[in-house]
Amino acid sequence: MTLASLFQDIMVMSLLLMAGFVIRSFCKPLQKLFLPASVVAGILGLILGDQVLGLITIPESFSSFNGIMMRIIMTCVVFGVTVNASQMMDHMDYALTNILLYGSQMILGLLVMLGCGAFAPDMPEGWGILGTFAYFGSHGSAGAAANVMEEMGAEGALSIGMVLATGGLFWSMIVGMAVVNWGVRKGYATYVKNPEKQPGYFYSGPLPEDKRESIGTTTTTTVAINPLAFQLGMLMVCYALGLGIFTVLVKFIPILSKINAMLYGMVGGLILWPVMKKTHTDVYVDKKSLNQISGFCLEILIVTSIASLDLNIVSKYWLPLLLHVLVGCSFTTAFCILFFRKVGNPEWFEKCVMVIGTCTGSSPNGLALVRAVDPDAKSCAPQAHGVYNAIFWWNNLLTPILPAMVLVNLWSVMGIAALFVVGAGILMYFLCFRRKRAA
């Protein structure tokens, strides 16, 4: 990619985002649905793009922005935040829910595969397991798992994985946004209350002059360095540190090369932040500015991800794939609502929609749903997601292993999935329900 083509891609992205903002500002139904302008922009790009109307060309690079932007977003999650044992316990409900759903989706996906064998016998062997990777990691993880299966002779697995990931993305935004609207109107949202009583600007977008706030605090003089560039530079230092650590470790432990690159910045942040606190240089970190950088990257990510969805691969095997999406995503959504509401921890609804988005589409989808109920980025849901990643980072190692195992022995994978479900379920009871009863 040349600088000229990158500039062209940013221009297309910005035009879509501005168009989405304008459309949302005048379209009352979109405002009432709490759809961010970035989601509107992505849908607009998908409709105007080559796959539907063909009026504009969606740059090929759009599909690659997801992974890059997530590296910055996930670094922002941990850098500037002190994670201790107390915080881990506070967010254990979130982490354990993800772990339980990981195993549950695997079991349900394989059962759907077995049930569809009678009327779709020519589908790739073991295809049902791809839903777990598609719903948790979207197209990237689904593609990685499917490539392993295709190398072992399961021809067509890659297309199946892409369709499931696409279906999960649509579910996460359509059904996820319906859950958001239901929860807001029920009064479950912490930061958005009584939407029917909110002033007009709450929905439309443009703020009146007396309601505007600064987007951050300067911690350096502009004579030396632009304050925003300084904050971004510290994030890149975190990522470079994590990248360097894993580059060395991979030479001795090759399996670590399978770890998702978005974790590099988190590891670097978890190392650098305590050092800065110890040396009293943490005062130069402005968390509000970091949140703005994260939010900016999220806008880019949402627009490009939705605008570049592949619609051409849905036509083949649509019925078994539709059943897979309906079964896996319906269970995920229903379980999240029932569990988080039952436990009733602070900000349970924000965590609930984050898990729904993350475990049916991807982390960006979860963040987009949280954004709809947390416009000022005050929720602990992103932090809970960071704690979950710190606990369950090793699931990335399973991406190349489980697809290969299911082609050799289906029932061994079912057993592994059952261990996830049972183990997480037991811990949920003791750490969440029993602790709450004791209190």
Side-chain angles (χ1 to χ4, degrees):
M1 180 188 294
T2 65
L3 287 177
S5 64
L6 177 61
F7 181 82
Q8 185 80 11
D9 296 351
I10 293 174
M11 182 184 69
V12 173
M13 181 194 315
S14 300
L15 289 174
L16 287 173
L17 190 57
M18 290 299 98
F21 178 77
V22 172
I23 292 172
R24 187 188 182 282
S25 297
F26 290 96
C27 185
K28 299 296 184 182
L30 294 179
Q31 296 174 18
K32 297 297 183 180
L33 286 173
F34 295 98
L35 279 179
S38 52
V39 174
V40 179
I43 295 173
L44 181 66
L46 188 64
I47 295 173
L48 296 179
D50 313 87
Q51 301 182 82
V52 183
L53 297 180
L55 298 178
I56 65 173
T57 299
I58 298 298
E60 294 182 3
S61 64
F62 270 27
S63 59
S64 63
F65 273 94
N66 187 314
I68 300 300
M69 294 298 103
M70 275 306 297
R71 297 178 190 183
I72 300 176
I73 292 170
M74 295 313 295
T75 305
C76 289
V77 167
V78 300
F79 188 62
V81 176
T82 302
V83 178
N84 50 40
S86 175
Q87 289 175 324
M88 293 187 70
M89 290 301 298
D90 288 342
H91 302 313
M92 193 58 67
D93 56 342
Y94 183 96
L96 291 174
T97 301
N98 277 267
I99 295 172
L100 185 142
L101 289 172
Y102 189 88
S104 299
Q105 288 184 358
M106 204 178 303
I107 294 173
L108 291 171
L110 292 174
L111 290 177
V112 169
M113 178 191 73
L114 294 174
C116 293
F119 61 88
D122 59 336
M123 292 191 72
E125 184 181 357
W127 67 271
I129 197 174
L130 291 172
T132 304
F133 307 104
Y135 304 146
F136 267 79
S138 194
H139 296 79
S141 294
N147 281 330
V148 173
M149 297 179 69
E150 292 213 343
E151 289 175 359
M152 297 182 66
E155 187 176 349
L158 183 59
S159 296
I160 298 298
M162 295 299 102
V163 171
L164 292 176
T166 302
L169 286 174
F170 276 113
W171 179 284
S172 66
M173 294 314 301
I174 296 173
V175 178
M177 197 56 66
V179 173
V180 165
N181 282 271
W182 167 77
V184 169
R185 283 161 176 76
K186 285 284 189 179
Y188 298 144
T190 305
Y191 301 100
V192 178
K193 297 291 187 183
N194 301 318
E196 68 283 353
K197 298 180 181 179
Q198 297 293 337
Y201 66 80
F202 174 81
Y203 295 100
S204 62
L207 282 173
E209 191 170 351
D210 62 330
K211 296 296 180 181
R212 298 173 188 175
E213 300 178 356
S214 64
I215 62 174
T217 302
T218 58
T219 61
T220 59
T221 172
T222 54
V223 174
I225 186 174
N226 177 273
L228 196 60
F230 179 74
Q231 302 296 325
L232 179 61
M234 287 193 291
L235 294 176
M236 293 299 100
V237 169
C238 292
Y239 190 85
L241 177 60
L243 175 62
I245 290 172
F246 276 94
T247 300
V248 173
L249 290 177
V250 164
K251 295 180 179 180
F252 301 95
I253 313 174
I255 192 66
L256 292 180
S257 63
K258 303 297 182 181
I259 290 179
N260 196 303
M262 76 170 63
L263 295 178
Y264 296 171
M266 296 181 68
V267 171
L270 289 171
I271 294 173
L272 182 61
W273 178 241
V275 172
M276 293 186 70
K277 286 182 68 67
K278 196 73 174 178
T279 57
H280 305 294
T281 54
D282 57 307
V283 294
Y284 299 109
V285 175
D286 179 42
K287 189 59 180 174
K288 197 171 181 180
S289 295
L290 295 181
N291 288 340
Q292 292 298 327
I293 293 173
S294 177
F296 171 72
C297 292
L298 181 59
E299 299 283 5
I300 295 175
L301 189 151
I302 294 172
V303 173
T304 55
S305 295
I306 296 178
S308 60
L309 285 176
D310 190 350
L311 302 178
N312 295 323
I313 56 178
V314 180
S315 58
K316 193 177 183 181
Y317 304 133
W318 67 271
L319 181 56
L321 296 178
L322 177 62
L323 289 174
H324 195 297
V325 172
L326 290 176
V327 171
C329 295
S330 294
F331 174 82
T332 298
T333 303
F335 180 84
C336 287
I337 295 173
L338 293 173
F339 173 74
F340 282 105
R341 186 179 179 186
K342 178 68 175 178
V343 176
N345 286 337
E347 300 188 29
W348 70 266
F349 185 69
E350 285 73 17
K351 289 182 180 180
C352 174
V353 296
M354 180 77 185
V355 176
I356 290 174
T358 300
C359 296
T360 59
S362 63
S363 297
N365 294 74
L367 292 168
L369 293 179
V370 172
R371 182 186 178 91
V373 293
D374 177 31
D376 296 323
K378 296 178 180 179
S379 170
C380 69
Q383 184 181 7
H385 192 65
V387 171
Y388 152 70
N389 276 297
I391 296 173
F392 199 42
W393 62 270
W394 47 271
N395 73 319
N396 293 281
L397 301 177
L398 300 177
T399 302
I401 297 173
L402 293 178
M405 286 182 62
V406 78
L407 294 178
V408 177
N409 190 328
L410 167 67
W411 302 109
S412 64
V413 176
M414 292 281 270
I416 292 173
L419 287 176
F420 277 105
V421 174
V422 174
I426 292 173
L427 287 173
M428 277 179 171
Y429 174 75
F430 282 103
L431 296 179
C432 300
F433 287 105
R434 288 202 55 166
R435 186 179 63 169
K436 194 168 185 66
R437 289 179 182 177

